[in-house]
């Protein structure tokens, strides 16, 4: 079973994402900020990460840059999630090393499509 | 709606567009017609249906039929089909490839093809024609404008960034992709086959929603529009009498058929 790490400071978003991902057959882990997420990744890289943009401790892009230089940190497929949907923001996410970008709010169909587009399904 | 009103709607859809509402009785019919009633200024679906029936109002009748036509939504729906279509295109030809999307809905199928063709530089230039039963959807398709929710359905972030421009909170298909596209409202049951012939004709997510006689007429119309050796694309789960239509399935590509060599030679 593949693991997906949900990194978001909103407990509600994490709960919604967990429900969707479990329905899609993923084992789900959660982190409330980037530092917690990095610690999780160091103990075992997930196959996919749903990553919030704005978070306390470190931003989503900062987490991603740090992740990508960790051993094995290039492996997880990372999908940025944000309520801000300007093309500039999406471009920035891709340049930071994201595989996909998902605009909040999302539903099961969109999450499945984004995981597939990122190559995580 | 009363049972008689439902019967009227079902008969109207079958007569005008060959639509079968067998699987869209009850709440599915109501949820499709509720926005139509709102748009047309009626307080209930029953009021809308009665107005169409009692006044024999053509415009309202068509609004009901169009509201119940299954819309094609999502970019790159069945992504493997798009790749197979492009692979099946004639190579090394000087004249442009001609493609007809016969149930284009709000345009995502046409723009998906345009994106894929633009990404494959080796493919010759293409002219794509999109048509749909619904004038409202054709008008939307023409704008090339999609909401944040719509662009998330089947479109990768890379394609969004590469092929779209920001327009307020919406996303507009880049003008370079819109060159060579034509749009028109068309009813496959009414329109006589024109002189236009196409290398590829797509009639996806269309036949399954039709009555049996309408499906036969629509298939005849679609195959008649093929150039010699052209490809017909239907939904992967559509069952069609391919050989009777002079078509041969393309191996490894469910839903794709090529006009058979004998038919092509006779043409």
């Amino acid at each position: 079973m593949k693991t997906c790490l949900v990194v978001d400071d909103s407990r509600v978003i994490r709960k919604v994402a967990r429900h969707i991902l479990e329905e899609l057959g993923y084992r789900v882990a959660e982190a409330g900020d980037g530092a917690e997420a990095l610690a999780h990744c160091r103990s075992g890289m997930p196959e996919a990460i749903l990553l919030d943009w704005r978070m306390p401790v470190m931003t989503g892009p900062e987490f991603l840059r740090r992740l990508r230089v960790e051993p094995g940190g290039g492996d997880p497929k990372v999908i940025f999630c944000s309520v801000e949907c300007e093309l500039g923001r999406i471009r920035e996410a891709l340049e930071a090393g994201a595989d996909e970008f998902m605009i909040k709010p999302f539903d099961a169909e969109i999450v499945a499509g984004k995981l597939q587009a990122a190559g995580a399904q | 709606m009363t049972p008689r009103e439902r019967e009227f709607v079902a008969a109207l859809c079958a007569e005008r567009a060959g639509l079968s509402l067998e699987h869209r009785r009850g709440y599915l019919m109501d949820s499709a017609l509720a926005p139509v009633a709102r748009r047309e200024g009626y307080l209930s679906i029953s009021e809308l249906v009665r107005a169409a029936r009692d006044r024999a109002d053509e415009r309202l009748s068509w609004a009901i039929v169009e509201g119940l036509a299954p819309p094609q939504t999502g970019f790159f729906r069945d992504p493997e089909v798009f790749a197979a279509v492009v692979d099946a295109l004639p190579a090394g030809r000087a004249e442009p490839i001609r493609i007809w999307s016969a149930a284009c809905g709000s345009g995502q199928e046409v723009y998906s093809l345009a994106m894929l063709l633009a990404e494959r530089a080796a493919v010759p230039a293409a002219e794509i024609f999109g048509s749909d039963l619904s004038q409202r959807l054709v008008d939307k398709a023409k704008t090339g404008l999609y909401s944040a929710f719509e662009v998330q359905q089947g479109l990768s972030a890379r394609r969004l960034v590469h092929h779209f421009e920001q327009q307020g909170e919406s996303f507009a298909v880049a003008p370079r992709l819109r060159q060579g596209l034509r749009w028109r409202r068309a009813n496959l049951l009414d329109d006589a086959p024109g002189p236009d012939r196409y290398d590829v004709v797509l009639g996806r997510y269309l036949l399954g929603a039709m009555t049996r006689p309408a499906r036969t007429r629509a298939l005849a119309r679609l195959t008649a529009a093929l150039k010699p050796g052209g490809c017909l694309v239907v939904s992967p789960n559509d069952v069609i009498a391919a050989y009777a239509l002079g078509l041969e399935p393309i191996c490894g590509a469910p839903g794709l058929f090529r006009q058979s060599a004998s038919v092509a030679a006779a043409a």
Side-chain angles (χ1 to χ4, degrees):
Chain A
M1 189 184 267
K2 290 181 176 178
T3 300
C4 183
L5 174 63
V6 181
V7 190
D8 201 303
D9 57 327
S10 159
R11 193 178 294 167
V12 176
I13 295 284
R14 293 203 305 270
K15 190 176 173 185
V16 171
R18 170 183 283 279
H19 179 73
I20 292 172
L21 289 161
E22 284 178 347
E23 287 287 310
L24 292 171
Y26 280 84
R27 183 188 297 119
V28 179
E30 297 181 25
D33 61 55
E36 199 185 322
L38 267 183
H40 189 283
C41 289
R42 282 174 187 138
S43 67
M45 286 293 169
E47 277 80 12
I49 299 175
L50 296 194
L51 178 61
D52 186 23
W53 190 281
R54 288 182 195 279
M55 288 184 297
V57 184
M58 68 178 84
T59 64
E62 194 181 341
F63 161 79
L64 185 52
R65 276 189 290 274
R66 291 200 196 183
L67 171 76
R68 291 307 194 201
V69 295
E70 292 285 328
D75 294 341
K77 302 297 182 187
V78 176
I79 300 168
F80 257 116
C81 309
S82 175
V83 287
E84 291 162 57
C85 58
E86 293 80 25
L87 282 178
R89 167 63 57 95
I90 299 170
R91 198 173 286 118
E92 196 182 336
L94 295 173
E95 284 166 4
D99 297 281
E100 260 303 331
F101 190 98
M102 188 159 64
I103 302 163
K104 291 179 186 172
F106 45 75
D107 62 15
E109 198 181 334
I110 290 171
V111 174
K114 289 293 175 185
L115 285 165
Q116 193 171 22
Q121 261 205 327
Chain B
M1 268 194 291
T2 64
R4 282 191 64 190
E5 287 163 356
R6 289 189 190 281
E7 289 309 316
F8 168 77
V9 170
L12 185 70
C13 289
E15 182 205 337
R16 300 293 174 93
L19 288 176
S20 164
L21 301 184
E22 211 173 300
H23 305 295
R24 302 188 76 189
R25 303 264 170 181
Y27 80 95
L28 287 176
M29 194 190 271
D30 293 352
S31 63
L33 288 181
V36 180
R38 269 199 304 276
R39 224 174 20 243
E40 297 292 340
Y42 292 93
L43 292 173
S44 70
I45 300 170
S46 281
E47 271 189 32
L48 166 78
V49 173
R50 284 199 299 270
R53 184 188 61 194
D54 300 345
R55 288 195 244 136
D57 188 316
E58 273 300 296
R59 199 187 58 78
L60 277 187
S61 297
W62 272 111
I64 289 171
V65 174
E66 292 180 8
L68 284 160
Q72 270 214 57
T73 54
F75 292 91
F76 294 95
R77 187 172 181 182
D78 308 322
E80 65 285 355
V81 169
F82 286 88
V85 166
V86 174
D87 288 344
L89 293 176
R93 206 176 69 183
E95 64 180 288
I97 301 292
R98 305 194 72 227
I99 300 173
W100 176 24
S101 167
C104 71
S106 42
Q108 286 93 331
E109 182 174 82
V110 167
Y111 291 120
S112 298
L113 280 165
M115 281 183 248
L116 198 55
L117 291 167
E119 290 164 11
R120 299 223 187 157
V123 175
E127 293 169 357
I128 311 178
F129 169 45
S131 72
D132 198 90
L133 181 68
S134 165
Q135 183 65 55
R136 194 173 58 83
L137 291 182
V138 170
D139 289 343
K140 175 171 166 54
K142 269 185 205 170
T143 67
L145 207 58
Y146 296 95
S147 69
F149 182 76
E150 288 169 317
V151 296
Q152 296 220 88
Q153 296 182 311
L155 198 59
S156 70
R158 280 176 212 287
R159 280 192 167 128
L160 178 61
V161 163
H162 190 66
H163 294 300
F164 285 74
E165 295 173 354
Q166 191 86 46
Q167 201 159 310
E169 290 187 351
S170 301
F171 300 88
V173 177
R176 64 183 157 73
L177 277 191
R178 298 171 63 179
Q179 288 168 5
L181 305 185
R182 289 187 301 124
W183 308 94
R184 184 166 76 84
R185 180 193 176 277
N187 183 353
L188 289 173
L189 300 190
D190 288 348
D191 294 1
D196 290 344
R197 294 291 178 269
Y198 299 89
D199 297 288
V200 178
V201 174
L202 299 107
R204 302 193 313 143
Y205 298 97
L206 163 76
L207 303 173
M210 291 181 135
T211 62
R212 190 181 289 266
R215 200 181 311 159
T216 305
R217 280 173 67 186
L219 266 170
R221 172 78 180 85
L222 296 174
T223 48
L226 288 172
K227 279 186 179 180
C231 285
L232 175 71
V233 188
V234 295
S235 303
N237 55 355
D238 281 336
V239 179
I240 67 168
Y243 293 100
L245 289 163
L247 300 167
E248 287 170 0
I250 296 179
C251 257
L256 261 73
F257 299 85
R258 191 182 290 285
Q259 194 180 65
S260 58
S262 55
V263 176

